[in-house]
Amino acid sequence: MLTFSVLTEPVFNPHGLNKYASIMACGNGYMGIRATHEENYTQQTRGMYLAGLYHRAGRNETNELVNLPDVMGIELQLDGENFTLLAGEILCWERELAFSNGELRRNVVWRSSQGKRFRIESRRFVSLEQLPLTALQFAVTPLDGPAQISLTTGIDATQTNSGRQHLNELSVRVFDQHYLQGTFETQDSASEVVISASCRLSTDSQSCFTAKNRRLNCHHTVNAEEGQTVMLEKIVWVTHRSEKEISLESFARNAMTELKICAARGYEALREQTSLAWEDVWNRCRVEVHSTDNQDQLALDYAIWHLTGMTPINNDRCSIAAKGLTGEGYKGHVFWDTEIFLLPFHLLTRPQTARNLLRYRWLNLAGAREKARRNGWPGALFPWESAASGQEETPEFAAINIRTGVRQKVASALAEHHLVADIAWAVVAYWHATQDDAFMRNEGLTLLVETALFWMGRTTEVNGRLEIHNVIGPDEYTEHVNNNAYTNYMAWYNVAHAREFMHQFERQNDAFCNAAEHFLQRLRLPEANAAGVIAQDDTFLSKPAIDLSRYKAKAGKQTILLDYSRAEVNDMQILKQADVVMLNYLLPEKFTLEQCAANLAFYEPRTIHDSSLSKAIHGIVAARCGDTACAYQFWRDGVAIDLGDDPHSSDDGIHAAATGAIWSGVVQGFAGLQMMNGELHLSPKLPAQWQRLHFPLRWRNTDIEIAVEPQRLVVTTTAPVALTIWGKSLTLSGRQSFAMSDFDLPVNGTATSEGARHV
């Protein structure tokens, strides 16, 4: 029986309302609901989002994930006094998110200004078994004599995206004294949303309904005795569509039918159903650690909770937004984060989901081809920010400089082209992990060839060599450079594998293959110097370096931009995030451990880690180089991005990619799992704080369980698997155990001999 940690909000903090609304958000990949309190607070941002439901609010706006009408808000009056934790006195406070079954719970004992105590309890979940379903129980108990309890709840369509309204109200209706329904349409008439709700009270009450100012509400008033619990049970069914095969009336009627079936079952039965679905997730994906710090297990459960809740598992028309389904940050757009930071988890636990994420790119190829043509290049240039289509969604300008009144142009969409090769890297990784020939013959090969064509047309010839000019690498503090090492190596990898798979799947195209060979032979790949350091780009090493210690102490805050302009930062050895170190991480077969260590030692002091994605990569490379103490500190710093003490770290949503990095930091870092030349390698070395690590994997249709202790490794497989352990190539089947002492290992934990003995 698995024992689960729970995520708790230790105290009610009005300054941390939105952080906890994000990190305790509930979702199922189809729908996400922020963990806002039922009662209203001015600074609290409510949010309910459906994956893939985007809309542009106006001519000068960008497409954004629509914040839907709220269904969780409840206005509570106790003896005529509005319930709010900003007044009265909190005598007892408990709030927790139970990862085991997906339930968010709150228990408060509150004393009103009139001196009477009340217990207020709430429970809610988003169903993992029936995706359009969410449910809520809200209970009130007077503790000091009888009281009048008034509850108001319903469907509140006054919700906006920071003031931008996306939905038109088409109709609101009440059925059978218990059921409410609102139908809405995006302002461009492209999508329709139907929200159906059942509201039932545990006791008889005076009830009425109102529909006013985009709010459809039911109102209940009860005179309760001391100790009598009055419970509201609210079941909600949320559906949307863009393909209108049947009338809206029929679509809404079908939604109401589904709601009534769920309402008849009740909260407890529905919760048990979703608990079983979560049990299956944990059995297939959970990473367990025995650590001196319980927060390590909490972090891993938190990561997998959100990796599950943010990922559309049955829909290849949408992908994972940079904030998942937990907030409005980055407008709900999709970045390279998906392929590089989020896909590895799915690839090695539920590969069908990884396949869908790659199909999202394939389905949006038309927009990528159009962007490439518009810029004068062949192939496919994927947008830096994506939404529901293949069109570029990156805003042309950033915020207005309040001192100059001038908007700064956003350069990412113009030059941060490494995304193209990142997608190709993910395609290759998917094939190696699954051997899915059907995907590779169609979607995969098309993606590889189209992205390769882009790179072959993107080069500039200089002195008989091919170079890639005017790009931005992962380090976004260094703009418009030539021969960014990350970009060049990843482009080479992209073209090399496109040619390889063209040959493997017998696609005859001599012109393409000849052009690919020309590219691979002549593309300039920055080489390591005598110290093992690879130049980030043509000019980086000639720039002056400054002491960054005070900026690194406030990593993620971009405080350096308070002292220097972006142009000045661009002319110094200053990195926002891992760049060459990221390259060492993604292509381990291309670099020796000595080179990886040299690049880590050189670039880390020059890296501020102002990106939430930076420290995790440094940690993985440090772990591979044998420095587990450093790697563990980087990993814990990555955990703190969302789970640390900063009350505003996640106000507009969690850092989705950081959850993938938590998983990768353990599996690809401390467990030493790598895909090298298409084969699976394992070189575990635990941090001193851990006594045991256990996790499941899925590799080429085989289930694998890996258990690591400081001096021992146990691998269990359901079929024979080729695996390289500490440098020794083995074929494993069933349960096999190894001791580190049986391998000739240097200090960094990498095998140097072929000696291995089963224990």
Side-chain angles (χ1 to χ4, degrees):
M1 184 71 177
L2 297 178
T3 301
F4 284 89
S5 50
V6 295
L7 178 60
T8 61
E9 185 176 7
V11 296
F12 173 74
N13 178 6
H15 301 292
L17 288 171
N18 286 317
K19 171 182 176 168
Y20 280 93
S22 297
I23 66 175
M24 298 178 108
C26 299
N28 57 21
Y30 167 83
M31 171 169 57
I33 301 179
R34 286 171 61 79
T36 48
H37 298 296
E38 289 78 15
E39 67 276 9
N40 282 323
Y41 298 99
T42 303
Q43 300 301 319
Q44 176 176 263
T45 302
R46 297 191 181 277
M48 180 167 72
Y49 313 94
L50 296 180
L53 182 57
Y54 293 89
H55 178 257
R56 187 191 308 274
R59 182 170 58 87
N60 295 321
E61 301 289 346
T62 58
N63 270 310
E64 61 185 339
L65 201 61
V66 176
N67 191 349
L68 294 173
D70 176 62
V71 295
M72 290 294 158
I74 298 174
E75 181 182 327
L76 171 63
Q77 287 190 341
L78 300 169
D79 286 334
E81 180 178 346
N82 283 331
F83 167 65
T84 174
L85 296 175
L86 298 178
E89 185 180 358
I90 302 173
L91 303 177
C92 172
W93 168 267
E94 295 174 346
R95 193 174 189 230
E96 64 182 25
L97 174 62
F99 294 127
S100 59
N101 63 6
E103 190 174 53
L104 177 66
R105 302 186 284 252
R106 182 174 65 152
N107 179 13
V108 180
V109 176
W110 178 75
R111 179 182 284 131
S112 72
S113 62
Q114 301 171 24
K116 296 178 68 174
R117 293 177 303 139
F118 297 86
R119 182 179 299 281
I120 295 101
E121 301 167 281
S122 65
R123 301 194 294 163
R124 71 172 81 158
F125 67 88
V126 171
S127 175
L128 198 61
E129 200 276 335
Q130 298 184 82
L131 300 185
L133 172 67
T134 183
L136 165 72
Q137 279 190 345
F138 188 84
V140 183
T141 307
L143 301 179
D144 294 319
Q148 185 182 78
I149 299 171
S150 297
L151 294 156
T152 297
T153 190
I155 302 170
D156 181 1
T158 64
Q159 287 298 114
T160 66
N161 288 71
S162 302
R164 291 177 294 275
Q165 181 59 261
H166 291 285
L167 298 177
N168 293 324
E169 184 181 77
L170 299 183
S171 72
V172 289
R173 295 192 62 185
V174 174
F175 302 87
D176 303 332
Q177 300 305 306
H178 293 295
Y179 302 102
L180 301 82
Q181 187 174 75
T183 59
F184 309 90
E185 181 182 64
T186 52
Q187 293 177 348
D188 60 3
S189 301
S191 299
E192 294 168 343
V193 178
V194 177
I195 301 177
S196 311
S198 165
C199 300
R200 292 179 182 270
L201 217 58
S202 59
T203 186
D204 292 337
S205 68
Q206 298 177 14
S207 303
C208 67
F209 299 88
T210 60
K212 185 178 181 181
N213 297 330
R214 296 175 64 88
R215 290 186 176 96
L216 174 62
N217 281 326
C218 62
H219 309 266
H220 299 282
T221 300
V222 176
N223 292 314
E225 299 298 324
E226 178 181 338
Q228 178 187 356
T229 297
V230 176
M231 180 180 291
L232 170 70
E233 183 166 292
K234 187 173 183 181
I235 312 295
V236 183
W237 190 265
V238 184
T239 56
H240 78 107
R241 65 174 186 171
S242 54
E243 297 178 0
K244 304 173 184 179
E245 298 175 352
I246 60 175
S247 69
L248 179 58
E249 291 76 15
S250 296
F251 184 62
R253 187 165 53 250
N254 292 343
M256 182 56 69
T257 299
E258 296 288 351
L259 171 71
K260 288 182 177 180
I261 293 171
C262 292
R265 297 193 63 198
Y267 182 95
E268 292 295 346
L270 296 171
R271 185 190 62 80
E272 181 60 28
Q273 195 175 31
T274 204
S275 296
L276 294 174
W278 272 109
E279 183 178 336
D280 181 60
V281 168
W282 295 118
N283 286 334
R284 288 186 291 114
C285 302
R286 194 179 192 220
V287 180
E288 295 179 86
V289 294
H290 294 181
S291 172
T292 56
D293 191 331
N294 293 334
Q295 293 299 303
D296 291 349
Q297 184 64 62
L298 171 68
L300 285 160
D301 289 344
Y302 167 85
I304 293 173
W305 162 265
H306 279 296
L307 285 163
T308 301
M310 73 175 74
T311 306
I313 59 174
N314 298 317
N315 187 352
D316 54 14
R317 291 282 177 180
C318 51
S319 187
I320 308 173
K323 297 290 185 177
L325 294 170
T326 68
E328 298 173 27
Y330 296 110
K331 310 292 187 184
H333 292 169
V334 179
F335 292 75
W336 70 306
D337 307 19
T338 299
E339 283 75 22
I340 300 302
F341 293 91
L342 298 170
L343 186 133
F345 164 76
H346 298 291
L347 178 62
L348 293 170
T349 57
R350 36 196 183 203
Q352 180 61 42
T353 301
R355 191 182 201 268
N356 286 343
L357 293 172
L358 293 172
R359 275 183 54 83
Y360 165 80
R361 296 295 190 181
W362 178 75
L363 289 166
N364 287 327
L365 259 173
R369 288 173 176 141
E370 178 189 330
K371 182 180 177 182
R373 302 292 184 275
R374 194 166 60 247
N375 287 276
W377 294 308
L381 172 55
F382 283 91
W384 180 244
E385 298 184 31
S386 299
S389 72
Q391 302 303 310
E392 180 63 71
E393 302 289 353
T394 307
E396 185 177 358
F397 294 95
I400 296 173
N401 184 312
I402 59 175
R403 296 189 182 278
T404 66
V406 176
R407 285 187 182 271
Q408 177 164 335
K409 202 169 183 65
V410 176
S412 298
L414 303 175
E416 203 158 352
H417 294 162
H418 64 80
L419 165 73
V420 175
D422 299 333
I423 292 170
W425 177 89
V427 169
V428 174
Y430 173 78
W431 188 83
H432 284 317
T434 65
Q435 305 282 275
D436 184 350
D437 283 359
F439 173 83
M440 188 56 74
R441 287 183 185 278
N442 187 24
E443 299 99 319
L445 192 54
T446 301
L447 285 168
L448 286 178
V449 169
E450 291 290 326
T451 50
L453 286 169
F454 167 76
W455 291 118
M456 291 189 287
R458 177 71 171 78
T459 57
T460 300
E461 186 162 341
V462 178
N463 298 326
R465 300 291 300 275
L466 297 179
E467 300 186 353
I468 301 177
H469 289 180
N470 189 30
V471 298
I472 303 171
D475 166 30
E476 293 175 326
Y477 281 169
T478 308
E479 298 181 347
H480 304 296
V481 296
N482 297 340
N483 298 309
N484 170 258
Y486 178 94
T487 303
N488 284 29
Y489 272 94
M490 292 293 285
W492 191 95
Y493 184 88
N494 186 165
V495 175
H497 282 85
R499 183 188 64 168
E500 175 187 327
F501 284 106
M502 285 282 283
H503 176 74
Q504 180 170 333
F505 290 102
E506 299 177 343
R507 299 288 178 85
Q508 298 300 320
N509 188 325
D510 292 341
F512 174 87
C513 291
N514 291 337
E517 182 64 26
H518 176 79
F519 176 92
L520 296 171
Q521 291 293 330
R522 299 177 66 200
L523 181 66
R524 181 178 165 193
L525 296 177
E527 297 180 356
N529 61 21
V533 175
I534 298 169
Q536 180 171 299
D537 55 67
D538 282 353
T539 59
F540 187 86
L541 296 183
S542 64
K543 296 175 180 178
I546 65 171
D547 181 4
L548 298 177
S549 55
R550 69 188 183 98
Y551 303 110
K552 290 167 71 73
K554 295 184 177 181
K557 304 296 185 182
Q558 301 191 19
T559 54
I560 196 164
L561 299 179
L562 300 176
D563 295 334
Y564 298 95
S565 69
R566 282 193 173 271
E568 289 173 317
V569 170
N570 198 42
D571 287 335
M572 294 185 282
Q573 289 187 5
I574 300 173
L575 284 76
K576 180 181 181 182
Q577 68 191 83
D579 198 304
V580 173
V581 176
M582 170 73 77
L583 173 63
N584 296 156
Y585 157 65
L586 287 179
L587 302 181
E589 64 270 26
K590 290 287 185 184
F591 309 100
T592 66
L593 279 179
E594 290 75 17
Q595 289 173 328
C596 291
N599 284 300
L600 187 65
F602 179 81
Y603 283 107
E604 200 287 324
R606 293 161 171 81
T607 305
I608 300 178
H609 303 296
D610 271 344
S611 166
S612 62
L613 311 179
S614 185
K615 287 189 175 182
I617 299 305
H618 280 78
I620 293 172
V621 174
R624 290 177 179 177
C625 292
D627 190 347
T628 53
C630 176
Y632 181 72
Q633 186 57 57
F634 275 129
W635 185 77
R636 288 299 301 264
D637 287 348
V639 167
I641 289 168
D642 282 336
L643 295 179
D645 295 331
D646 184 346
H648 300 293
S649 62
S650 314
D651 281 357
D652 61 354
I654 66 163
H655 296 78
T659 63
I662 291 172
W663 181 89
S664 290
V666 173
V667 173
Q668 297 180 281
F670 303 127
L673 190 77
Q674 301 179 70
M675 283 186 283
M676 298 178 64
N677 298 313
E679 298 301 325
L680 201 61
H681 290 241
L682 195 66
S683 299
K685 187 176 182 184
L686 299 183
Q689 294 82 355
W690 291 4
Q691 295 80 50
R692 190 172 187 270
L693 166 65
H694 174 269
F695 59 94
L697 292 175
R698 181 79 174 165
W699 176 259
R700 297 180 183 173
N701 295 318
T702 298
D703 292 322
I704 305 173
E705 285 192 21
I706 295 171
V708 184
E709 295 177 359
Q711 298 297 323
R712 186 167 173 264
L713 168 68
V714 177
V715 181
T716 306
T717 73
T718 57
V721 170
L723 184 63
T724 298
I725 298 177
W726 289 308
K728 171 70 174 179
S729 296
L730 302 166
T731 298
L732 307 181
S733 182
R735 183 180 186 276
Q736 292 182 266
S737 181
F738 307 91
M740 283 187 68
S741 59
D742 297 317
F743 294 78
D744 184 9
L745 299 176
V747 174
N748 65 16
T750 302
T752 57
S753 80
E754 296 299 302
R757 176 174 60 85
H758 293 183
V759 177

